[in-house]
Amino acid sequence: MDNKYRTLGEFIIENQASFQYSSGELSKLINALRLAAKVVNHEVNKAGLVDIIGGAGDTNVQGEDQQKLDVLANEKFIQTLKNREIVCGIASEEEDDFISINSQDENHQNKYIVLIDPLDGSSNIDVNVSVGSIFSIYRRITPVGTPVTLEDFLQPGINQVAAGYVIYGTSTMLVYTTGHGVNGFTLNPAMGTFYLSHPDMSFPETGRIYSMNEGNYVHFPQGVKDYIKYCQMEEGDRPYTSRYIGSLVSDFHRNMIKGGIYIYPKSSVASNGKLRLLYECNPMAFLAEQANGKATDGYRRIMEIQPTELHQRVPFFCGSSKMVEKAESFMAKYA
Ligand code: AHG
Ligand code: MN
Ligand code: MN
């Protein structure tokens, strides 16, 4: 079939056989995430119309202001996954602890767990700027039929079976990988159908965009400060262009298409940076590597880090391989 007319539903079915443990369970799970994406998309699109924007007056486990849409997106994702009884556990950036799901059907013993950042870039919601959702899927380690434990969630990123994001931008897209490259699907809002619009997505080997919150410059490690100066220097294809949306999904998506690097380093005020290893860095690292890019903490491959806690943070350097390697070379000088 011409790629132009291939829907996400068809793509999932066609590619089911390529999964390592093909039983249809992962396909059902991705279908459920597809549905959740449409539901959250609907909520995001009416954010400016109804009284759901602004703080919910609650703070999440990491002490950040929780926006109402964060809560809503969290509920929608969890509810969609629970209703379909296709996972045995869920962990969310917005929940203090992981959720264990006991299937009603004794014979239906699910083996997948999902980790989600239901609404990424929440500071952009009430100013009508692109936000996203991120998901990461693993097979459980503990035996099926027993309740999931923390161990099932604290797996290194290399164990991911699938990962992806939804970007609620000028169009809504779902971009994901099951370890066989990265494909992007654009939602046709009139039909409510995702179409394969970006087959085989790939980071250009190098690019001219650097994305970081330079307002924090004084707090950055010397290696990052030096790399920023390198980006700004007039030489060869430099100075580079600075682009920072403040929603990882959107910054990553642009850099993957155009070529670029995203950095959220550690700083003198945040020793591990800000981004969460399990909900943000691992899924984006899996996508980056599947799209010929790189993701490290400045020194180590993100996906090889052994997590020790659910809401762990980690410095993040991600994007075009040559650019990440260049930034790492500056970091190495002060290691
Ligand atoms: P979230 O909205 O899920 O809390 O994530 C926001 C993250 C990430 O998406 C973004 O790149 C970064 O925080 C922005 O942080 P700063 O405002 O510190 O630059
Ligand atoms: Mn986030
Ligand atoms: Mn979030």
Side-chain angles (χ1 to χ4, degrees):
M1 195 194 299
D2 190 328
N3 265 342
K4 211 164 40 180
Y5 303 110
R6 187 172 269 114
T7 68
L8 175 55
E10 287 161 348
F11 184 89
I12 292 170
I13 295 165
E14 283 165 28
N15 288 279
Q16 186 172 309
S18 67
F19 301 150
Q20 202 184 343
Y21 318 92
S22 184
S23 66
E25 205 178 314
L26 183 60
S27 298
K28 281 190 202 134
L29 174 45
I30 294 168
N31 269 320
L33 291 165
R34 172 181 66 154
L35 176 64
K38 287 186 211 176
V39 173
V40 174
N41 176 60
H42 179 69
E43 299 298 340
V44 169
N45 279 321
K46 63 183 192 192
L49 292 172
V50 289
D51 186 30
I52 54 169
I53 47 170
D58 211 355
T59 49
N60 69 9
V61 64
Q62 290 141 45
E64 297 153 340
D65 275 338
Q66 218 173 30
Q67 306 275 328
K68 277 185 184 172
L69 209 50
D70 293 29
V71 182
L72 212 59
N74 188 43
E75 280 168 10
K76 301 288 181 194
F77 269 98
I78 291 173
Q79 218 30 264
T80 310
L81 294 167
K82 268 188 179 169
N83 287 350
R84 299 196 152 195
E85 296 198 351
I86 39 169
V87 289
C88 52
I90 305 170
S92 164
E93 185 194 81
E94 299 296 337
E95 302 282 336
D96 297 4
D97 212 346
F98 64 84
I99 301 166
S100 176
I101 296 172
N102 301 314
S103 176
Q104 305 297 314
D105 175 2
E106 290 295 313
N107 301 315
H108 194 100
Q109 299 186 312
N110 300 314
K111 53 183 177 295
Y112 292 106
I113 59 148
V114 179
L115 295 108
I116 49 170
D117 176 356
L119 214 295
D120 174 68
S122 33
S123 69
N124 285 322
I125 296 164
D126 44 7
V127 290
N128 215 344
V129 173
S130 296
V131 291
S133 302
I134 309 173
F135 59 88
S136 169
I137 302 172
Y138 295 80
R139 286 167 67 87
R140 64 183 302 174
I141 292 174
T142 53
V144 285
T146 63
V148 286
T149 69
L150 185 58
E151 188 193 353
D152 293 312
F153 295 90
L154 299 185
Q155 298 188 53
I158 44 169
N159 290 3
Q160 287 172 105
V161 176
Y165 60 80
V166 186
I167 176 168
Y168 313 101
T170 42
S171 341
T172 293
M173 282 187 71
L174 193 151
V175 176
Y176 80 106
T177 182
T178 55
H180 302 275
V182 176
N183 290 285
F185 301 82
T186 303
L187 181 67
N188 177 339
M191 320 283 289
T193 306
F194 281 104
Y195 288 94
L196 178 59
S197 52
H198 294 64
D200 261 322
M201 297 182 84
S202 179
F203 273 92
E205 200 177 26
T206 190
R208 294 196 55 254
I209 296 171
Y210 71 104
S211 316
M212 59 192 88
N213 189 341
E214 281 182 73
N216 295 325
Y217 186 85
V218 288
H219 301 302
F220 284 166
Q222 194 55 45
V224 174
K225 285 181 176 168
D226 289 359
Y227 180 66
I228 292 174
K229 288 300 157 211
Y230 166 86
C231 293
Q232 296 171 342
M233 209 179 285
E234 188 170 23
E235 196 185 333
D237 60 349
R238 288 169 288 139
Y240 293 158
T241 290
S242 167
R243 288 282 183 276
Y244 188 73
I245 296 169
S247 114
L248 171 64
V249 167
S250 315
D251 283 307
F252 178 100
H253 187 75
R254 180 206 51 242
N255 289 354
M256 178 160 63
I257 290 170
K258 295 194 166 181
I261 183 170
Y262 175 97
I263 301 180
Y264 207 109
K266 68 172 184 185
S267 71
S268 53
V269 289
S271 58
N272 291 308
K274 175 184 184 187
L275 301 182
R276 297 90 175 159
L277 175 58
L278 298 184
Y279 313 107
E280 293 169 319
C281 302
N282 269 336
M284 294 321 241
F286 190 21
L287 287 160
E289 290 193 9
Q290 284 296 317
N292 298 318
K294 265 194 106 173
T296 76
D297 68 351
Y299 309 97
R300 294 174 296 172
R301 186 182 173 205
I302 288 292
M303 290 208 287
E304 286 176 8
I305 298 173
Q306 174 60 53
T308 52
E309 41 184 308
L310 223 39
H311 295 285
Q312 186 171 342
R313 296 172 194 267
V314 72
F316 196 49
F317 293 61
C318 179
S320 292
S321 57
K322 286 255 154 67
M323 298 179 85
V324 173
E325 281 157 19
K326 190 73 194 175
E328 281 178 315
S329 74
F330 281 98
M331 296 304 288
K333 287 182 191 162
Y334 303 95

